[in-house]
């Protein structure tokens, strides 16, 4: 079971890296315009709160993120020249491996807690 969990984590990291690599490749002038357009559409879909299959539906709701997005990323990556994709993957890997700032995370969490506190105060004082 642990080996399966580790493989899933590795797979998720690769999907993240390749999604980021597509974004980087879409900004490269050597990438064809149609690949740039498709990469933009997939990125917009991935970030959009509207899904083909709503996430509220148990199990089925996650299928588009688990199956459709990786397939779309793989297909679009084939439209991008190999050297551009290799450069983009290397740049994405460097970005993914960057150490994360604990101070930055604390500031963001603090901002969310403060915002939630202000919202609750506003709701309960009315």
């Amino acid at each position: 079971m642990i080996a399966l969990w580790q493989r899933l984590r590795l797979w998720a990291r690769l999907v993240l890296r390749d999604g980021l690599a597509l974004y980087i490749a879409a900004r490269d002038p050597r990438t064809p315009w149609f690949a740039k357009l498709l990469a933009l559409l997939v990125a917009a879909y991935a970030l959009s709160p509207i899904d083909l299959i709503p996430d509220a539906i148990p199990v089925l709701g996650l299928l588009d993120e688990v199956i459709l997005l990786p397939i779309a990323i793989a297909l679009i990556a084939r439209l991008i020249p190999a050297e551009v994709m290799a450069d983009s993957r290397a740049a994405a890997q460097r970005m993914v491996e960057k150490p994360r700032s604990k101070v930055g995370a604390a500031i963001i969490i603090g901002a969310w807690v403060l915002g939630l506190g202000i919202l609750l105060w506003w709701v309960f004082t009315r």
Side-chain angles (χ1 to χ4, degrees), residues 17-95:
R17 184 207 61 195
D18 281 355
L20 187 55
L22 277 185
Y23 169 75
I24 294 167
R27 297 175 50 199
D28 193 301
R30 299 173 291 172
T31 301
W33 68 269
F34 56 88
K36 288 181 182 187
L37 177 64
L38 290 174
L40 178 64
L41 290 174
V42 166
Y45 177 75
L47 298 174
S48 171
I50 300 170
D51 290 339
L52 290 175
I53 306 168
D55 290 341
I57 299 172
V59 180
L60 292 177
L62 297 175
L63 283 181
D64 57 346
E65 284 90 1
V66 173
I67 295 173
L68 296 179
L69 282 176
I71 290 171
I73 289 170
L75 291 174
I76 295 169
R78 297 178 112 209
L79 297 174
I80 297 171
E83 65 275 358
V84 174
M85 202 59 207
D87 293 345
S88 300
R89 279 188 177 122
Q93 188 66 36
R94 286 191 301 274
M95 291 174 76

